[in-house]
Amino acid sequence: MRPRRRSRRPARPRRRLAAGLAAAVGLVGVLAWLLLGSPVLAVQEVRVDGVVTLSPEQVIDSAGIVEGTPLVRADTEGAAERVRRLPPVASVEVTRGWPDTVVVTVVERRPVAVVSDAGRRQLIDATGVVFDTITGPAPDGVVPLDVRDPGPDDDATTAALGALTALPGDVRAQVTAVSATGPDDVTLTLTDGRSVLWGSADRTDRKAEVLDALLDQIDTGTLDPADTLDVSTPDAVVLR
């Protein structure tokens, strides 16, 4: 009896499987090269959005992303941290814009007051951060702030800025200066020389509301003019 021959048909599926695996490995290799080594998906531009006082070049230099770096390898978190160290920057977001761009979106600090220290005039934002030095006139709406130790950790600073930023726009436009010898002793000076004794940071919104109403009544003649408006206790104001 003749021995049966073994079928060789299973060899073809195995060859197809091997060829498929080889093609898949090759495709993965090509994709890896495109992402990690090819100039096709490398950084060609660093775009900066949102800057006002800073220049795009300052932001790009701080970000430290080198053109030609594969986009997938661009250290966006590190770049954001470095840009965040620039004093005028309030917040920043760094993202990849495929196929070849890194986008740095900056939100700059908005000055609300100017402080003087050792002959220098510096801008300060609503959180108390001193972030820029100026030599000319202060920006519109920015008023002098007189406190002993300006900064975000100083209670007098935060109380004074809290009072200033709580005011309605038309009232705030009448403020020419704000001072605080301590967190419970905030005083506002108005354009006509009147003083507003604000007191502490307590009930800030209520004080702003009461001051707005008082000024309106004085302007319309309902109340007699006064040199000093004491709203430190907003439910029992004193005019003198």
Side-chain angles (χ1 to χ4, degrees):
M1 179 181 286
R2 285 176 154 187
R4 293 182 180 180
R5 295 181 179 177
R6 293 181 179 178
S7 174
R8 295 182 180 178
R9 289 180 182 177
R12 288 185 178 178
R14 284 197 295 269
R15 283 197 295 269
R16 292 194 190 101
L17 178 60
L21 289 173
V25 170
L27 179 59
V28 169
V30 170
L31 291 175
W33 175 77
L34 283 172
L35 288 172
L36 302 176
S38 168
V40 176
L41 297 178
V43 177
Q44 302 298 325
E45 177 189 8
V46 179
R47 192 177 81 225
V48 179
D49 295 333
V51 292
V52 179
T53 59
L54 290 168
S55 68
E57 291 74 21
Q58 286 176 293
V59 175
I60 291 171
D61 288 345
S62 294
I65 294 177
V66 179
E67 291 187 8
T69 301
L71 189 57
V72 73
R73 288 182 174 174
D75 182 9
T76 56
E77 291 185 5
E81 180 60 32
R82 289 187 289 272
V83 172
R84 199 174 290 116
R85 294 173 192 158
L86 293 171
V89 173
S91 65
V92 60
E93 182 180 22
V94 181
T95 57
R96 297 178 180 86
W98 296 97
D100 58 8
T101 304
V102 171
V103 181
V104 184
T105 304
V106 173
V107 176
E108 291 191 11
R109 299 185 187 280
R110 297 180 60 183
V112 297
V114 58
V115 294
S116 296
D117 180 30
R120 293 187 305 167
R121 298 169 64 238
Q122 297 176 293
L123 298 176
I124 188 169
D125 73 356
T127 66
V129 174
V130 177
F131 65 91
D132 197 10
T133 300
I134 60 173
T135 55
D140 290 343
V142 173
V143 301
L145 168 64
D146 183 12
V147 290
R148 187 174 294 106
D149 186 23
D153 299 324
D154 177 56
D155 292 338
T157 299
T158 55
L161 293 174
L164 186 62
T165 56
L167 298 174
D170 57 339
V171 176
R172 185 172 170 182
Q174 300 181 54
V175 176
T176 59
V178 57
S179 64
T181 58
D184 300 324
D185 185 31
V186 176
T187 300
L188 310 175
T189 303
L190 304 184
T191 52
D192 57 6
R194 287 179 293 184
S195 295
V196 178
L197 304 184
W198 189 271
S200 71
D202 294 338
R203 305 185 68 188
T204 292
D205 291 340
R206 177 59 179 160
K207 291 176 184 179
E209 179 184 353
V210 168
L211 178 59
D212 187 18
L214 284 175
L215 293 175
D216 184 60
Q217 292 176 54
I218 291 173
D219 290 342
T220 58
T222 306
L223 286 176
D224 292 333
D227 293 331
T228 302
L229 291 72
D230 187 344
V231 297
S232 58
T233 305
D235 296 329
V237 298
V238 177
L239 305 181
R240 55 180 181 271

